[in-house]
Amino acid sequence: QVQLVESGGGLVQAGGSLRLSCAPSGRIFSIIGSMAWYRQAPGRQRELVASVTTGGSTNYTDSVKGRFTISRDNTKNTVYLQMNSLKSEDTAVYYCNSKMVGSSGRWSDYWGLGTQVTVSS
């Protein structure tokens, strides 16, 4: 089956930028629906950062509006998160999420293992 793999995390100074990418590790034989980025900071709950539908409609949590941009390339089954004007509060492990049709024939959630983003003050 497939596994989502994130890339692009790292260490950056406050005010800097990073671009995260996420794509299946292998060929897709299912159907991919909406995709999203979540993040989880130490001692905090995992939160939805941004989501994008197959048609390109996007949604963002208030704390990243105007700074982050989610996009997708359906030909590559890849979702991106462009992060600008990074703040120390953005430090977290970022997880990729995708809706896909599972073996049951129903939509299921698939997750990546996460990529660390650290923003220094």
Side-chain angles (χ1 to χ4, degrees), residues 5 20 24 29 33 46 61 67 72 74 82 99 107 119 121:
V5 179
L20 306 183
F29 297 99
R46 185 174 297 189
T61 190
R67 300 188 298 119
R72 65 190 292 164
N74 290 329
Q82 178 66 49
K99 305 285 187 183
W107 289 102
V119 184
S121 301

Side-chain angles (χ1 to χ4, degrees), residues 14-88:
S17 298
L18 285 173
R19 187 191 187 211
L20 306 183
S21 300
C22 172
S25 61
R27 181 175 173 83
I28 293 294
F29 297 99
S30 183
I31 299 174
I32 298 178
S34 63
M35 305 182 85
W37 288 96
Y38 290 74
R39 68 185 180 189
Q40 187 167 26
R44 299 187 62 186
Q45 296 176 277
R46 185 174 297 189
E47 66 171 341
L48 174 64
V49 177
S51 63
V52 57
T53 68
T54 55
S57 297
T58 59
N59 195 23
Y60 301 90
T61 190
D62 287 342
S63 63
V64 307
K65 287 180 179 177
R67 300 188 298 119
F68 290 10
T69 302
I70 188 171
S71 61
R72 65 190 292 164
D73 183 342
N74 290 329
T75 66
K76 299 179 179 179
N77 297 315
T78 301
V79 62
Y80 306 93
L81 186 67
Q82 178 66 49
M83 304 184 292
N84 299 326
S85 302
L86 283 162
K87 306 174 181 179
S88 60

